[in-house]
Amino acid sequence: VYGDKTVATSQVKDTDIEIKKFSEVNLEPIRISLGFLSLATKVPALIKEYRQTGKLNLIVNTITTINGSLPYTKTDKITLGGGTQA
């Protein structure tokens, strides 16, 4: 999410992942490809910010369910880029 616009979404996967009590599981990364042209048309302000600052401030929303019924939502604010002008 950039401002009030959704930039990209991932595909919904119906996968059960078993996590034993008091343990951890490494998941495969979810990759979302973004085309420059698509970004330029959807959110021109995002391109402008990147050109001015060399970084992008985005909000990432993760939404899933636990045990098929307990909703889980997590919101992260992330910054992409090194902060040098493009």
Side-chain angles (χ1 to χ4, degrees), residues 4 28 33 35-36 47 52 56 64 68 70 84:
D4 62 347
E28 291 295 317
S33 58
F36 182 79
I47 302 298
Q52 290 175 344
L56 298 174
T64 190
L70 181 64
T84 54

Side-chain angles (χ1 to χ4, degrees), residues 22-43:
F22 307 112
S23 66
E24 295 179 4
V25 173
N26 291 321
L27 304 176
E28 291 295 317
I30 297 172
R31 301 193 192 285
I32 301 171
S33 58
L34 298 169
F36 182 79
L37 186 58
S38 157
L39 287 178
T41 14
K42 278 187 174 179
V43 263

Side-chain angles (χ1 to χ4, degrees), residues 16-76:
D16 292 330
I17 301 167
E18 183 179 340
I19 305 173
K20 295 184 181 183
K21 208 177 212 180
F22 307 112
S23 66
E24 295 179 4
V25 173
N26 291 321
L27 304 176
E28 291 295 317
I30 297 172
R31 301 193 192 285
I32 301 171
S33 58
L34 298 169
F36 182 79
L37 186 58
S38 157
L39 287 178
T41 14
K42 278 187 174 179
V43 263
L46 183 141
I47 302 298
K48 182 179 178 184
E49 178 186 339
Y50 181 72
R51 286 184 175 154
Q52 290 175 344
T53 66
K55 58 184 177 179
L56 298 174
N57 296 303
L58 301 172
I59 297 171
V60 177
N61 295 316
T62 304
I63 302 167
T64 190
T65 56
I66 299 172
N67 291 334
S69 61
L70 181 64
Y72 172 82
T73 303
K74 181 181 177 191
T75 301
D76 293 299

